[in-house]
Amino acid sequence: MHPLVVAGLKFRFVKADSVFIGENRGGWIYAGQRPRHEVKCPDFYIMNSPLTLQELSNILDSELSPEDETTWNQERLTAIISIMNQALTEISHELDSDYQWEIRCPTQSEWIHAKNCEQIILQTGMKEILADAVSSNYRGAMMDGRPRRFEGRGPMQWHTATMEIHPKNPSIYALSSAPMDRQNIGLSVRLVVTPIRQGSPRIVPRSADYGANIRSELFWTTMLGVIPSFAIPWFRGLGDYVTEGWVNLLFGGLCVGFVTGAFWRPRRPVITYEDGVQQ
């Protein structure tokens, strides 16, 4: 597919495919990155690199200062996207007429899918703005690549998700966030031309199997903490201490078992698109 050009900006084609987001490792430290789930992205177009100062000047038809390239808030971002969507109507005949199209920042799934397809260049030390709202984990996440909206109230509603690139190694990146109700320095914007998802979304199930999780935790805490706590003094010939100091051994075993849970537990199931819940 040939690149798509909108208002002088080139967008590369990314073919529809599935991408897997999140972690399935069972340790508690990965709780905010679970569950690992499949997202089905449609065909879309993405900028190879974030907006430059010259490109921003051309869009706004005005001279900008150097710091304007990496200084963003919600008002400024909304204005740029509005201008680009107006320009999109002029070349809509080049797009698949079966869909309605829009320009916005990429979602996390679109961003990762484009990276996996080697269609984007990453800038070290930057934070790229995403279209997703912030969330504590992937429960309730969209499985068709549409933006996730903020759920709840509080100051985090003014934040947006970002992809933060390592200062030296562009192959290392992590999901982060940035407040958009004020000026932020050090942000960059990459845009996508993507179909507007219609109808109710398919989402990651909002609740886990708590019963299975509790049973697993009790089992592994016993196996990795409690049993060794009693077995070690027994095999060392301290049988009297096992019977007399069992409270201390039990407490110590529980502590060890809980600590191991922070770093290791069996991997959790991966949620496929078919396992999602239709809203």
Side-chain angles (χ1 to χ4, degrees), residues 242-264:
V242 172
T243 56
E244 296 175 2
W246 67 270
V247 174
N248 292 334
L249 294 175
L250 177 61
F251 180 75
L254 290 173
C255 290
V256 171
F258 286 137
V259 170
T260 62
F263 304 99
W264 182 86

Side-chain angles (χ1 to χ4, degrees), residues 112-155:
I112 292 179
H113 180 36
K115 181 185 180 301
N116 292 344
C117 294
E118 299 182 346
Q119 294 296 334
I120 60 175
I121 297 174
L122 305 186
Q123 295 180 350
T124 55
M126 293 302 295
K127 294 175 69 173
E128 291 194 23
I129 297 175
L130 300 179
D132 298 309
V134 296
S135 57
S136 58
N137 55 47
Y138 288 114
R139 292 289 173 187
M142 305 296 146
M143 302 184 76
D144 61 358
R146 72 178 72 188
R148 182 173 188 173
R149 302 306 178 193
F150 183 76
E151 300 172 353
R153 297 182 179 180

Side-chain angles (χ1 to χ4, degrees), residues 13-24:
F13 177 74
V14 182
K15 187 174 178 58
D17 203 352
S18 290
V19 61
F20 286 86
I21 306 294
E23 279 286 352
N24 65 341

Side-chain angles (χ1 to χ4, degrees), residues 37-58:
H37 60 284
E38 179 184 14
V39 179
K40 289 190 175 182
C41 293
D43 291 342
F44 65 96
Y45 300 82
I46 190 168
M47 294 178 61
N48 180 244
S49 58
L51 285 168
T52 65
L53 182 64
Q54 185 59 55
E55 289 170 337
L56 284 169
S57 296
N58 293 341

